[in-house]
Structure formats: structure tokens, C-alpha cells
Amino acid sequence: MDPKNPRQFKCPRCGVPTRWEDNPWRPFCSRRCRMVDLGAWIDEEYRVPVTSDISEADASSETTYDNTDKWS
């Protein structure tokens, strides 16, 4: 990396431009932004969307397993 032109990026939380190198909080600009983002995860502000595509017919045809021992 060119020391005259350090790699910069925007903090994903606040958008402030910050350096990548020598940044203990990366990808965030500070400990505060890192902790705010962690709090958002804990409060479930970030969620993966779930779609329920299983119909009743599909649900009733799910595989069931026989737990009996076939060797005895």
C-alpha cells in the first residue's frame, strides 16, 4: 500500500471517512460506532427476510424417520 495515499473507506454506521490501516475498530471509525452497530444486532434491527414457501401439502409430506433399531 502506498503510505502517501492510505486506503480509506466510509464507516458503515456513520459514514465518516476513516483509514483502514492501523484502525483497531475497522470496519468502523470508532469504538462508539462499533458498539452502536452491535446494539442494533442485539435489538434485532438487522434481520434476514424469511419467506414461507411451504404449503400444507408440502408440510405433511416431510420426511419422518423411524427411530427403531433395525439391528435388534
Side-chain angles (χ1 to χ4, degrees):
M1 179 107 286
D2 183 11
K4 295 178 186 176
N5 213 358
R7 188 165 73 173
Q8 290 194 355
F9 62 96
K10 289 185 178 180
C11 174
R13 190 71 195 166
C14 70
V16 170
T18 189
R19 292 179 53 163
W20 184 263
E21 289 79 15
D22 302 325
N23 179 357
W25 312 114
R26 68 179 177 221
F28 304 100
C29 65
S30 65
R31 182 177 190 274
R32 181 186 177 282
C33 279
R34 184 178 183 184
M35 297 308 289
V36 169
D37 191 71
L38 177 61
W41 280 102
I42 291 170
D43 290 341
E44 297 182 356
E45 290 177 24
Y46 302 132
R47 295 181 182 210
V48 176
V50 178
T51 57
S52 180
D53 292 337
I54 299 177
S55 67
E56 289 183 29
D58 292 336
S60 65
S61 66
E62 288 183 10
T63 305
T64 57
Y65 296 97
D66 183 9
N67 291 334
T68 58
D69 186 4
K70 295 183 181 187
W71 296 102
S72 55

